[in-house]
Amino acid sequence: ELAWLDPPLLQRAGALANLPAVLINSRMDLSCPLSTAWTLHRAWPQSQLEIVKGSGHSASEVAMIDALVRATDLFASQLS
């Protein structure tokens, strides 16, 4: 469960239903298991889940940076 939020985000996912999101998670992330991102993705209809291979939890790893840039580019393109 998404323990750092109170109440947990999964209990409030319905409030996010119409908001677009890109959830980025790594297969090798030991701090935030992929199963958590998958569960949130399933509860959030407008979300996309990008699974990054060969990366851990750090946002400074090349594969994670690429995924973050793709996600921000996606939203930036929708503004123009």
Side-chain angles (χ1 to χ4, degrees):
E1 197 158 326
L2 302 172
W4 68 91
L5 299 173
D6 188 29
L9 182 57
L10 287 174
Q11 291 177 5
R12 300 177 289 150
L16 304 171
N18 296 319
L19 297 174
V22 177
L23 308 174
I24 301 170
N25 202 276
S26 171
R27 286 192 184 280
M28 302 178 73
D29 189 336
L30 300 177
S31 300
C32 299
L34 183 54
S35 61
T36 302
W38 174 250
T39 302
L40 179 58
H41 169 60
R42 299 280 305 201
W44 192 341
Q46 294 296 318
S47 71
Q48 297 175 37
L49 176 58
E50 180 163 351
I51 301 168
V52 179
K53 298 176 184 170
S55 183
H57 186 75
S58 176
S60 64
E61 295 181 35
V62 173
M64 289 298 277
I65 291 170
D66 290 345
L68 291 165
V69 169
R70 278 192 303 278
T72 54
D73 285 349
L74 172 69
F75 289 112
S77 71
Q78 294 173 357
L79 293 175
S80 38

